[in-house]
Amino acid sequence: MNSNYIPNNMITKNLILYKEPKLTLITNLKRSVNTADNVKGNQKNISEVLFITTFPPRECGIATFTQDLILSIQKGFGSTFHISICALDSYNEEHQYSKQIKYKLNTDEIDSYNQLAENINADTNIKMVILEHEFGLFGQNGKELKDLLHNINKPISIAFHTVLPQPGELFKTHVKALAAMADSVIVMTRTSYNILVKEYHIKKSKITVIPHGTHLVKHGDKEILKAKYGLKGKNVLSTFGFLGSGKSIETTLDAMPAIVAHDPETIFLIIGKTHPSTLKREGEFYRDFLNEKVNKLGLQANVLFVNAFLPLHELLEYLQLTDVYLFTSKDPNQAVSGTFAYAISCGCPIISTPIPHAKEVLMDDAGIIIDFKCPEQLSAAVIRLHDDVQYRNELGLNGLHRMASTAWENSAIAHAILISEMTNNDIRLLFKIPEINLYHIKKLTTDVGMIQFSRINIPDKTTGYTLDDNARAMVAICQHYTLSGDEDDIKVIRIYHNFIRACLQKDGNFLNYVDTDLRFTSQNFQTNLDDSNGRAIWALGFLISKCNLLPTDILNNAIEDFDKALQHAENIHSTRAMAFIIKGLYFASLKSRKERYLDIINILGQRLLKMYDHESEINWQWYESYLTYGNSIIPEAMLCASLVTGNTRFKDVAKLTFDFLLSKTFKGDRMQVISNQTWMHKGDEIKAKVTGGEQPIDVAYTILALKRFSEIFEDNEYNDKMKHAFNWFLGENHLQQIIYNPCTGGCYDGLEKHNVNLNQGAESTVSYLMARLTVDKI
């Protein structure tokens, strides 16, 4: 079972606070693996969502936001619905766009508003309109904007990027009018939600909170990145974004003399070009002001301007090398900041002024909040973090956990659910299957074997290795090699197999736990290792079944190890260990139907059958009086036993018990893993249905079993459930958040009641890969 590195006092809340979706929404996430891409052939009549927004190459925060959001929706849901864009231009901001832009609205031209409404209404493919709204985008043409929204006869959602508190009557009337013409309103913080409800009197039911998205990051080595950018040995402070006086960067400059006196190697990076609109209006007045202050304070060696609109990968590297990120906005009404969110997602400890976004995210030791325009507090906070490395690291990690639910992938899910709801399910949400990504698998694998745990996505070598993880990993990479023929897999298979061989003792038993010095730990002699022995036999049998693909020496060694490990197989009584052994023997029998293999399968199958006869009742069709972890392997093993022996009772019981298990692990079409916090006991099933404590390995084993049952019984219901089970990794779960990390190729260690465990250990990552390779070819 996976260890949980998240401190008990750091239970992170689900920051995506959208309305609870109707059950029909979840039901409509059907046939979501593969089918998302099957829609491509019918592009002419595909449903379409139109975003009215600024968009690159225009350089502004909303343009970047929308580009990131749309890309995430397309990656998550494929071509199940089309996204088109109406780009906002003005006389001062005219750009040449790509083919993705369907319409342009010049916000300075009054007639263009009515024309756009006519075009939208005439386009039968457009099912919904989303307006990414900022007050400054429409100048003095507020009336024309209201006319546009009034004239559109499609569902409309307005995303308010700014929500001002304590509005005057005219301003309040304007905002209420915009909201009244929308079918839904999106805001990015709980504070904005409360302001709309309490001060603008907008109905709660109309408002959906979807936090500003953040990028998933691989979290590179800070010191390597510092060296790459010429900052080796420096204590790096940074801020980024379009330069403007509202950022109050002079607050940091005024704090710098005290900081530099404490550590002369401190450097403050001011990353970003001047906002294009500001540049046209006042030139580089603010940058010149800052430069003058730098010279006056003698900080030329400690302040560096990076005057560029950086590509995303470069920006994220700058943030990852940052020791402390500084956010000093002087606007108390700034509802949200994308720059602030991106910094936290890179693991930066944050010092921030008290904008609403910061107050929500940084509470409870996730950052430090200082007063507006207070350089004394800023310098004191920076010096504290400089001297207390442990506290600095804790802030960065806590902030990272707090922002986990805001990943762009989760934002895409929340937006897609809202789109489906607003269109009365006319747009069905079909998850797109991710491409194979072995990055984290390779990162976890050393020349010895697969490391057991990770802290976030950094393998933790101090946790050592286990037979369990290397056995599962060998199965997964054999699956991958079967489908891809990638010769690099052979080297990795050898590593895992050699580890398994090293764990095999002279008496035919396996040890499981190996420390970083490659010594067997005392835990091996304090724990029942039957399940570990069973997994190793399963993995070796699976390896043998690939005899036509693998080098002869691997095959010969696998057969030798397999036969040696079977010495005590008949004496094992652990339920799951017996199931693993049956599966291993089934796979080995695909190459050679040895009489001994058949005898052991029959002995263990009969033993499981007796357990079923003893425990089963009309309402409890199972082998034990409880359901715990890895349940699906037992009925799958019984089905495998029937395929080898021809015993129809094995087959009948396999189906009865598997169908019973599925009735306990699926809520409608959505898989809900039995919680490891309570398990499920006969006669007490209702109490066991708690939320959280769901682990990827249970989903993976269920998918493996569903695949086999769908093939043997030719039942499409098993196939549909397999696809929905896989969607658990992609967001079809109670938090509606990703469990698989497409950036690293890792898988999060667990789904809890309010949060996802962000550590990406061996068990969870290999479990995802086995599931991914089972549901679809590469």
Side-chain angles (χ1 to χ4, degrees):
M1 309 299 289
N2 278 325
S3 173
N4 187 341
Y5 280 108
I6 299 179
N8 291 332
N9 64 350
M10 195 57 210
I11 299 300
T12 57
K13 294 182 178 179
N14 173 23
L15 294 181
I16 296 189
L17 302 170
Y18 45 79
K19 301 183 293 295
E20 182 67 24
K22 300 175 183 177
L23 184 60
T24 52
L25 257 182
I26 299 300
T27 302
N28 279 330
L29 301 179
K30 276 194 172 183
R31 302 182 183 277
S32 37
V33 180
N34 292 332
T35 31
D37 293 318
N38 291 339
V39 193
K40 293 179 179 178
N42 190 23
Q43 291 291 337
K44 287 185 177 179
N45 298 318
I46 194 169
S47 295
E48 186 175 322
V49 176
L50 178 71
F51 279 77
I52 302 177
T53 178
T54 57
F55 202 75
R58 182 168 178 174
E59 294 177 344
C60 78
I62 290 181
T64 303
F65 169 93
T66 309
Q67 183 182 51
D68 288 338
L69 172 60
I70 290 174
L71 181 61
S72 297
I73 293 174
Q74 290 170 335
K75 285 183 177 179
F77 297 94
S79 302
T80 57
F81 61 92
H82 180 66
I83 294 176
S84 56
I85 297 160
C86 171
L88 297 177
D89 267 354
S90 66
Y91 291 137
N92 289 327
E93 288 276 2
E94 291 187 287
H95 301 277
Q96 295 298 316
Y97 294 98
S98 67
K99 293 181 180 179
Q100 193 173 8
I101 303 303
K102 186 168 189 174
Y103 304 114
K104 286 201 295 185
L105 172 64
N106 187 321
T107 56
D108 292 331
E109 291 182 0
I110 294 176
D111 292 341
S112 64
Y113 290 85
N114 287 332
Q115 184 61 54
L116 176 60
E118 291 177 8
N119 290 338
I120 292 171
N121 293 337
D123 192 329
T124 57
N125 286 342
I126 295 177
K127 306 300 181 184
M128 180 180 177
V129 175
I130 298 177
L131 170 64
E132 299 293 342
H133 180 273
E134 187 61 83
F135 293 102
L137 292 176
F138 297 93
Q140 302 300 312
N141 293 328
K143 176 184 179 300
E144 284 70 29
L145 174 61
K146 286 184 281 189
D147 289 342
L148 168 66
L149 298 177
H150 176 76
N151 291 332
I152 292 174
N153 60 15
K154 311 288 177 77
I156 299 171
S157 182
I158 299 179
F160 284 120
H161 287 249
T162 296
V163 177
L164 295 177
Q166 301 175 344
E169 283 303 316
L170 283 177
F171 189 81
K172 180 193 290 187
T173 300
H174 175 66
V175 172
K176 289 180 68 174
L178 292 177
M181 295 173 197
D183 298 275
S184 73
V185 170
I186 299 170
V187 291
M188 299 183 194
T189 65
R190 191 72 186 178
T191 300
S192 295
Y193 171 91
N194 290 332
I195 291 171
L196 287 182
V197 171
K198 294 176 182 178
E199 299 187 36
Y200 291 85
H201 309 298
I202 296 173
K203 291 182 179 179
K204 293 180 180 180
S205 60
K206 180 174 274 193
I207 308 170
T208 299
V209 181
I210 306 177
H212 192 296
T214 55
H215 292 281
L216 296 172
V217 178
K218 290 181 179 178
H219 299 287
D221 186 285
K222 186 185 293 287
E223 298 309 316
I224 291 175
L225 289 172
K226 284 185 178 182
K228 176 180 177 179
Y229 288 96
L231 299 168
K232 185 177 181 180
K234 297 294 184 180
N235 173 38
V236 180
L237 314 177
S238 77
T239 192
F240 90 93
F242 287 115
L243 208 58
S245 60
K247 292 188 178 296
S248 193
I249 291 172
E250 61 271 20
T251 300
T252 301
L253 296 182
D254 287 334
M256 282 295 288
I259 297 169
V260 172
H262 189 77
D263 182 0
E265 294 302 314
T266 298
I267 189 164
F268 176 39
L269 304 180
I270 303 172
I271 305 169
K273 62 191 295 185
T274 301
H275 195 287
S277 297
T278 303
L279 195 61
K280 290 179 180 179
R281 187 173 60 251
E282 59 187 49
E284 291 285 14
F285 175 82
Y286 186 61
R287 187 181 299 274
D288 293 341
F289 162 74
L290 294 177
N291 270 310
E292 183 178 341
K293 182 174 278 288
V294 167
N295 293 330
K296 183 177 179 181
L297 294 172
L299 296 172
Q300 295 91 333
N302 301 99
V303 176
L304 175 63
F305 287 87
V306 182
N307 186 6
F309 186 80
L310 295 179
L312 179 62
H313 74 277
E314 192 172 337
L315 171 62
L316 295 179
E317 286 187 339
Y318 268 112
L319 292 175
Q320 288 177 78
L321 64 81
T322 294
D323 292 295
V324 180
Y325 185 82
L326 308 176
F327 185 82
T328 55
S329 169
K330 62 184 180 183
D331 181 4
N333 297 324
Q334 183 175 349
V336 68
S337 167
T339 63
F340 169 92
Y342 283 20
I344 297 180
S345 72
C346 288
C348 296
I350 306 290
I351 299 173
S352 174
T353 49
I355 68 166
H357 196 184
K359 289 193 288 186
E360 286 189 17
V361 173
L362 299 185
M363 59 180 168
D364 301 328
D365 286 331
I368 296 176
I369 293 180
I370 61 172
D371 292 332
F372 294 105
K373 301 180 182 180
C374 192
E376 296 81 12
Q377 290 183 15
L378 179 58
S379 60
V382 169
I383 290 170
R384 179 188 179 189
L385 292 180
H386 176 276
D387 292 346
D388 192 339
V389 176
Q390 181 177 349
Y391 180 55
R392 186 173 76 221
N393 291 338
E394 285 176 359
L395 287 189
L397 187 60
N398 291 349
L400 188 62
H401 285 301
R402 188 67 53 76
M403 293 297 286
S405 64
T406 69
W408 277 117
E409 288 76 6
N410 293 330
S411 181
I413 293 168
H415 278 86
I417 289 173
L418 180 65
I419 288 167
S420 183
E421 188 176 43
M422 289 296 99
T423 58
N424 293 318
N425 298 324
D426 187 42
I427 293 179
R428 296 173 58 231
L429 306 184
L430 308 172
F431 285 100
K432 183 179 180 181
I433 191 166
E435 295 181 358
I436 299 292
N437 181 355
L438 298 182
Y439 173 83
H440 194 53
I441 291 283
K442 292 178 179 179
K443 198 171 180 181
L444 283 165
T445 303
T446 69
D447 291 339
V448 173
M450 177 166 281
I451 298 168
Q452 188 175 10
F453 294 124
S454 289
R455 293 184 181 272
I456 309 298
N457 70 302
I458 306 299
D460 186 353
K461 294 181 180 179
T462 66
T463 62
Y465 308 84
T466 67
L467 171 67
D468 290 337
D469 292 328
N470 283 272
R472 281 186 289 257
M474 189 170 74
V475 170
I477 298 302
C478 282
Q479 285 180 285
H480 185 264
Y481 182 64
T482 302
L483 294 172
S484 70
D486 186 347
E487 291 300 321
D488 289 343
D489 289 344
I490 297 296
K491 177 184 177 181
V492 182
I493 289 170
R494 285 188 189 277
I495 290 173
Y496 301 146
H497 184 206
N498 287 338
F499 186 91
I500 293 171
R501 301 198 83 199
C503 292
L504 181 59
Q505 306 301 292
K506 292 181 180 179
D507 63 358
N509 286 312
F510 290 93
L511 296 181
N512 186 41
Y513 302 99
V514 178
D515 66 18
T516 53
D517 296 322
L518 308 185
R519 297 174 301 190
F520 290 111
T521 71
S522 60
Q523 193 174 357
N524 288 293
F525 311 103
Q526 301 165 357
T527 308
N528 187 312
L529 299 180
D530 283 356
D531 285 6
S532 298
N533 277 260
R535 286 188 194 92
I537 291 172
W538 165 46
L540 290 169
F542 194 80
L543 188 65
I544 291 168
S545 73
K546 304 300 177 184
C547 60
N548 295 331
L549 302 174
L550 299 173
T552 304
D553 65 306
I554 293 180
L555 175 63
N556 291 338
N557 288 335
I559 293 172
E560 178 185 333
D561 298 338
F562 187 74
D563 289 340
K564 184 177 181 180
L566 289 177
Q567 293 179 52
H568 310 290
E570 299 172 34
N571 301 321
I572 287 180
H573 287 76
S574 166
T575 311
R576 284 151 191 80
M578 290 190 290
F580 279 124
I581 292 169
I582 289 173
K583 286 183 63 177
L585 288 164
Y586 163 77
F587 284 115
S589 296
L590 296 178
K591 177 187 182 293
S592 175
R593 292 178 63 87
K594 294 182 181 180
E595 196 67 31
R596 184 170 174 234
Y597 295 175
L598 299 180
D599 288 343
I600 298 174
I601 288 175
N602 194 57
I603 290 169
L604 299 183
Q606 291 294 343
R607 194 171 292 161
L608 289 172
L609 198 58
K610 288 181 181 179
M611 293 177 67
Y612 166 78
D613 289 336
H614 181 265
E615 289 293 344
S616 64
E617 298 175 0
I618 293 176
N619 296 320
W620 188 264
Q621 297 290 316
W622 197 244
Y623 309 85
E624 300 164 310
S625 62
Y626 45 78
L627 293 168
T628 56
Y629 70 95
N631 299 298
S632 296
I633 62 172
I634 308 172
E636 185 194 2
M638 289 295 280
L639 185 57
C640 289
S642 76
L643 295 174
V644 176
T645 65
N647 187 322
T648 57
R649 182 93 201 283
F650 288 169
K651 184 177 182 181
D652 293 341
V653 170
K655 191 173 192 312
L656 277 171
T657 54
F658 192 48
D659 289 347
F660 166 77
L661 176 63
L662 295 177
S663 74
K664 302 299 183 185
T665 54
F666 274 81
K667 186 177 181 180
D669 283 332
R670 189 183 77 197
M671 185 171 185
Q672 183 170 346
V673 177
I674 292 171
S675 174
N676 63 11
Q677 298 172 12
T678 60
W679 303 128
M680 182 180 289
H681 297 267
K682 182 165 62 174
D684 204 11
E685 295 93 326
I686 296 177
K687 181 180 178 181
K689 290 184 177 179
V690 300
T691 303
E694 301 183 40
Q695 292 192 306
I697 193 168
D698 288 297
V699 181
Y701 284 154
T702 300
I703 288 170
L704 291 173
L706 283 164
K707 179 74 169 180
R708 190 170 307 282
F709 274 78
S710 69
E711 291 173 346
I712 299 304
F713 290 98
E714 298 181 348
D715 188 336
N716 285 334
E717 185 176 348
Y718 290 131
N719 199 48
D720 287 343
K721 277 185 163 55
M722 179 180 69
K723 295 170 182 177
H724 282 288
F726 184 75
N727 287 346
W728 181 90
F729 291 104
L730 307 182
E732 195 175 320
N733 51 61
H734 76 269
L735 288 184
Q736 292 168 331
Q737 293 182 28
I738 56 168
I739 309 299
Y740 168 67
N741 184 321
C743 174
T744 65
C747 181
Y748 299 133
D749 279 352
L751 175 68
E752 304 303 334
K753 184 174 183 178
H754 297 295
N755 68 285
V756 173
N757 181 337
L758 298 185
N759 298 319
Q760 298 163 47
E763 178 183 293
S764 54
T765 296
V766 170
S767 294
Y768 169 80
L769 182 60
M770 286 194 296
R772 168 63 181 83
L773 293 167
T774 299
V775 298
D776 191 64
K777 294 181 180 180
I778 293 178

